[in-house]
């Protein structure tokens, strides 16, 4: 192969990579626009954590949880709560709706990369999850005088990204098995109990003993461990938390791939 041929092949590969990246970016852009235009999604996913944080965190400035103000502890737990909702509803409900309208079948038939559709949904959920976190953080800093360092902000953002991955995959699984009429109700039956039993609404030691004993088995609890660790709470996270979240994501990813291919063969 001559030097000219090598340069031509390099340019062709570079051009193909640019086109693929552009497709993924456009899909993510349009998915984000779609979610922003859905007012019910925006108000519920962003509004609910903010209201909870104002009522239970900001309104009780003198309350101490594990040696620090409640506003700091609940910043971690409600950030995880909001990110869970962003992932489960954006991906789970969105996938159910689009699957029932034939949009998913159309995407499968198009020449676009196979996973750009789902990747766009994950990126849009990630954007909302990080937005919720920074909104809660701004409330804590402005109204409660909370101090958050740059490294804590970075670590919290990384923890949110890790949790979004796990719950996005769970959302894909739910989106592939639920019907349009039951999707919102069943996802709420997953989202709200996981939030309560995982210690996202109130500190875990305020829950009944039997709930405290099963909480470490839940992905919501492991997610909150990561966000608490990001804000400096000792003993609240370890590599096992990352490992368990990754395990949940891997299991539901395998189930989702199996369901996706099975539905594809049935079409």
């Amino acid at each position: 192969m001559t030097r000219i041929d090598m340069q031509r092949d390099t340019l062709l590969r570079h051009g193909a990579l640019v086109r693929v990246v552009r497709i993924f970016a456009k899909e993510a852009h349009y998915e984000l626009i779609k979610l922003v235009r859905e007012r019910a999604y925006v108000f519920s996913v962003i509004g609910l954590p903010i209201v909870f944080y104002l009522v239970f965190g900001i309104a009780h400035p003198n309350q101490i949880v594990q040696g620090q103000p409640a506003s700091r502890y609940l910043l971690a737990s409600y950030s995880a709560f909001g990110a869970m909702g962003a992932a489960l509803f954006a991906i789970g409900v969105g996938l159910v709706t689009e699957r029932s309208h034939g949009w998913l079948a159309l995407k499968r038939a198009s020449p676009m990369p196979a996973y750009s559709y789902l990747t766009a949904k994950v990126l849009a959920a990630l954007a909302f999850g990080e937005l919720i976190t920074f909104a809660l953080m701004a409330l804590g800093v402005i109204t409660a005088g909370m101090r958050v360092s740059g490294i804590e902000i970075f670590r919290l953002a990384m923890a949110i990204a890790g949790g979004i991955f796990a719950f996005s995959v769970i959302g894909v699984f739910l989106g592939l098995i639920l019907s349009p009429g039951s999707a919102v109700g069943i996802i709420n039956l997953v989202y709200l109990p996981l939030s309560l039993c995982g210690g996202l609404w109130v500190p875990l030691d305020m829950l009944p003993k039997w709930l405290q004993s099963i909480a470490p088995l839940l992905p919501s609890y492991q997610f909150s461990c990561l966000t608490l660790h990001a804000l400096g709470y000792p003993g609240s996270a370890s590599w096992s938390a990352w490992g368990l979240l990754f395990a949940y994501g891997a299991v539901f990813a395998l189930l989702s791939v199996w369901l996706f291919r099975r539905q594809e063969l049935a079409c």
Side-chain angles (χ1 to χ4, degrees):
M1 181 179 292
T2 65
R3 184 176 179 180
I4 294 177
D5 290 335
M6 293 176 62
Q7 290 177 342
R8 184 179 59 192
D9 289 344
T10 301
L11 290 173
L12 288 173
R13 287 195 296 268
H14 177 72
L17 178 62
V18 169
R19 286 193 294 272
V20 170
V21 170
R22 190 175 298 166
I23 290 171
F24 275 74
K26 283 187 176 181
E27 281 289 314
H29 174 69
Y30 293 139
E31 182 67 25
L32 191 58
I33 290 176
K34 185 196 76 173
L35 291 177
V36 168
R37 289 176 176 174
E38 292 182 3
R39 296 180 182 178
Y41 174 81
V42 173
F43 290 145
S44 60
V45 167
I46 297 180
L48 196 57
I50 288 177
V51 170
F52 275 27
Y53 189 57
L54 287 172
V55 172
F56 298 108
I58 303 301
H60 301 278
N62 298 323
Q63 186 175 355
I64 302 299
V65 179
Q66 296 187 11
Q68 299 192 51
S71 59
R72 186 175 180 85
Y73 183 95
L74 293 177
L75 167 62
S77 63
Y78 286 145
S79 293
F81 171 62
M84 280 176 53
L88 290 175
F89 285 97
I91 298 175
V93 176
L95 185 57
V96 168
T97 303
E98 292 168 6
R99 180 167 57 87
S100 66
H101 291 164
W103 186 244
L104 183 57
L106 178 62
K107 289 286 187 178
R108 285 170 171 165
S110 70
M112 64 184 291
Y115 294 104
S116 61
Y117 170 73
L118 294 178
T119 302
K121 290 187 176 298
V122 173
L123 292 176
L126 177 60
F128 269 90
E130 299 290 0
L131 175 62
I132 293 165
T133 299
F134 283 102
L136 295 178
M137 192 182 305
L139 278 175
V141 171
I142 294 170
T143 62
M146 183 173 57
R147 294 183 179 180
V148 186
S149 67
I151 188 63
E152 287 174 338
I153 294 173
F154 174 78
R155 285 160 48 181
L156 184 57
M158 291 299 100
I160 293 298
I164 286 283
F165 160 74
F167 283 96
S168 292
V169 179
I170 295 173
V172 171
F173 174 76
L174 293 173
L176 290 172
I177 64 172
L178 298 179
S179 64
S182 65
V184 174
I186 292 180
I187 289 178
N188 267 314
L189 286 176
V190 173
Y191 174 45
L192 299 180
L194 276 180
S195 300
L196 174 62
C197 298
L200 302 187
W201 290 355
V202 295
L204 193 64
D205 55 12
M206 297 176 63
L207 296 176
K209 293 293 184 182
W210 65 273
L211 278 181
Q212 294 181 36
S213 64
I214 67 171
L217 302 175
L218 304 176
S220 52
Y221 172 81
Q222 301 300 333
F223 191 8
S224 70
C225 284
L226 296 181
T227 56
L228 286 168
H229 180 71
L231 292 181
Y233 283 86
S236 56
S238 64
W239 287 109
S240 63
W242 283 104
L244 285 170
L245 268 184
F246 179 80
Y248 268 104
V251 168
F252 280 98
L254 291 174
L255 290 172
S256 298
V257 169
W258 176 74
L259 281 171
F260 192 82
R261 290 179 176 175
R262 184 180 178 184
Q263 292 176 5
E264 195 171 34
L265 291 173
C267 290

